[in-house]
Amino acid sequence: MKFLVLNGVNLNMTGTREKGVYGAETLDEINADLKAFCRANGHEVDFYQSNLEGELCAQIQQSTGVYDGIVLNAGAFTHYSYAIRDAIAAVTTPVVEVHLSNVFAREAFRRTDVLTEVCRGEILGFGKLGYKLALESFWL
Ligand code: DQA
């Protein structure tokens, strides 16, 4: 199977921003680990990060027939992007939502999530392990 790990706004700062919340590993380090994890399980994976909402929508739109699943951490877009929500609803590619932190244990605005309803499932609060669990959910 082939997967896309899609990270949204500010996730490129992982490893340097709020390390106590998001961890000390960079996104490149996390992605290298995910690549090895997919390879070891006989799967392919691509990575894409953008701080631009429209670019994330374009990746989701183009996923049909290319990817068997998307693992999506949309960052703060999670809490208000109807555009990303509609892009997920527009395709048949299953999307599993991931958050490094437990958004329910944080500020009230993070408890609003406009994406979950159109996702296959959601994993949050387990740091980078969440991406692995999300990937595994596609093949286990
Ligand atoms: C996040 C949680 C969001 O609330 C926040 O805006 C992020 C990262 C997470 O992975 O925990 O940028 O998606």
Side-chain angles (χ1 to χ4, degrees):
M1 297 173 98
K2 189 171 180 181
F3 306 107
L4 175 65
V5 174
L6 189 55
N7 280 287
V9 62
N10 292 318
L11 270 301
N12 56 312
M13 302 288 288
T14 307
T16 55
R17 72 159 174 163
E18 300 182 81
K19 288 187 194 177
V21 178
Y22 300 118
E25 268 185 284
T26 66
L27 190 59
D28 281 348
E29 288 166 344
I30 291 171
N31 287 348
D33 192 15
L34 298 179
K35 189 166 192 140
F37 181 64
C38 282
R39 264 207 197 136
N41 284 281
H43 303 291
E44 286 179 64
V45 62
D46 288 337
F47 301 94
Y48 190 87
Q49 187 277 330
S50 179
N51 292 320
L52 304 179
E53 188 181 29
E55 288 190 359
L56 298 169
C57 291
Q59 288 294 316
I60 294 163
Q61 289 172 14
Q62 291 158 19
S63 67
T64 305
V66 179
Y67 295 109
D68 297 295
I70 297 174
V71 173
L72 171 66
N73 184 350
F77 290 141
T78 303
H79 311 301
Y80 62 88
S81 176
Y82 298 122
I84 293 175
R85 184 203 187 282
D86 284 352
I88 296 168
V91 297
T92 53
T93 318
V95 177
V96 174
E97 194 183 342
V98 166
H99 297 286
L100 291 162
S101 65
N102 177 358
V103 290
F104 290 97
R106 302 180 63 196
E107 300 93 330
F109 77 87
R110 294 185 204 276
R111 283 175 219 145
T112 300
D113 186 331
V114 301
L115 306 182
T116 316
E117 204 178 23
V118 290
C119 289
R120 178 182 275 187
E122 181 179 17
I123 298 165
L124 53 92
F126 295 107
K128 83 166 176 189
L129 175 62
Y131 290 97
K132 287 187 178 175
L133 295 172
L135 284 163
E136 268 191 322
S137 76
F138 288 118
W139 70 70
L140 282 186

